[in-house]
Amino acid sequence: SVGFFPDRVGRALVRDAHQLLGADLVLVSDHPWQAGFGDEIVRRGLQRAEAVTFISMAITGDGKDAAEQRAQLAGVKAVSENYPLRGRLRIAPAVNAPDRPARSGPARGTVWIEERLITSLAAPVGSKIKLGSATLEIAAILTLEPERGANFFNLAPRIFMNVADVPATGLVQTGSRVSYYLYAAGPREGIAAYEAWARGALQRGERVDNLESGRPEVRAVIERAQRFLGLTALLAAILAGVAIAL
């Protein structure tokens, strides 16, 4: 029974840690994924989501008067409406308002932005923002993105949008610095089988991230916690032995 308890706690830690990936498995590429990778996720009965990330200037104000325009470099993340597959995004309806879990990603024609963009662009919720050739409505303030890690791209204020709106922006062109993501979630055996298949089909500029490779710092914390739980089981057994001897 003592051994069963640490095992259950350890499994729960791993399950919760997958929220930091947004899925159980993430495929990353510097070019659009071939349809076979996404189709294979569905064929195996797993959940599938997708995302595209790039850097762009966000602009507000009347385009007729340059003096009234404001611009800010932002990290744009375009996601499918079922993103993330693990964990929840959190959004707020206004500055300093209580946030709540988002039921899905941004709807088409809308964006979610971080609070610091509200100030730098003077663009409250309900106003318009321009990304490339597309004009989108600010629908909410993004307060939490569990998958966000520490890299240069993530230092810029975040803008979330629907992946279906990306073509209208005209920002993704030949030579653009863009990352393409496929997310998979499901039973552990199914994910392991799909990961083995995907690794065998990878080409240049493509990789597969799991908890060990995608967020190694989190995996290290989990391993230390599991070792600690193992020590508690050992200590319980020693105390039981002492009690029997007494």
Side-chain angles (χ1 to χ4, degrees):
S1 298
V2 173
F4 177 79
F5 173 72
D7 179 68
R8 294 293 98 181
V9 174
R11 288 172 180 257
L13 287 172
V14 173
R15 183 186 66 247
D16 291 343
H18 279 109
Q19 297 181 14
L20 301 178
L21 285 177
D24 295 330
L25 194 69
V26 184
L27 284 71
V28 188
S29 173
D30 60 6
H31 54 269
W33 284 99
Q34 297 179 17
F37 283 89
D39 293 343
E40 186 68 15
I41 295 176
V42 177
R43 190 187 70 79
R44 292 174 180 266
L46 305 173
Q47 295 176 276
R48 169 191 169 183
E50 59 182 297
V52 178
T53 60
F54 53 91
I55 294 288
S56 177
M57 294 297 295
I59 302 173
T60 57
D62 189 354
K64 298 179 181 179
D65 189 348
E68 294 182 0
Q69 287 187 343
R70 293 197 180 190
Q72 171 67 48
L73 187 67
V76 181
K77 187 166 188 174
V79 299
S80 53
E81 292 188 5
N82 63 336
Y83 172 90
L85 300 179
R86 293 284 185 256
R88 284 288 188 90
L89 300 168
R90 297 186 68 89
I91 56 175
V95 177
N96 298 324
D99 64 351
R100 59 176 175 79
R103 295 183 179 179
S104 63
R108 294 196 63 173
T110 67
V111 294
W112 300 343
I113 67 175
E114 285 189 332
E115 186 172 338
R116 48 182 169 160
L117 276 176
I118 296 285
T119 303
S120 60
L121 295 176
V125 173
S127 59
K128 301 291 185 178
I129 189 172
K130 188 173 182 180
L131 290 173
S133 301
T135 300
L136 307 167
E137 179 182 352
I138 300 174
I141 298 175
L142 179 68
T143 60
L144 177 64
E145 179 192 349
E147 187 195 356
R148 190 165 187 172
N151 58 46
F152 176 76
F153 170 81
N154 289 326
L155 293 178
R158 180 74 91 201
I159 294 178
F160 258 69
M161 63 182 294
N162 193 295
V163 71
D165 290 327
V166 172
T169 66
L171 294 173
V172 178
Q173 303 177 10
T174 302
S176 297
R177 189 177 180 84
V178 183
S179 295
Y180 298 83
Y181 295 78
L182 280 176
Y183 300 88
R188 182 168 55 179
E189 296 78 10
I191 290 295
Y194 176 75
E195 181 178 1
W197 175 89
R199 289 189 183 278
L202 291 179
Q203 299 180 5
R204 180 205 59 80
E206 301 172 351
R207 74 174 192 270
V208 176
D209 283 346
N210 52 29
L211 196 57
E212 288 81 5
S213 60
R215 298 299 293 270
E217 74 282 5
V218 176
R219 185 63 191 180
V221 172
I222 292 175
E223 289 177 350
R224 286 196 292 268
Q226 289 176 331
R227 286 197 294 268
F228 174 78
L229 291 170
L231 288 175
T232 62
L234 178 62
L235 179 60
I238 293 173
L239 290 175
V242 171
I244 293 172
L246 291 176

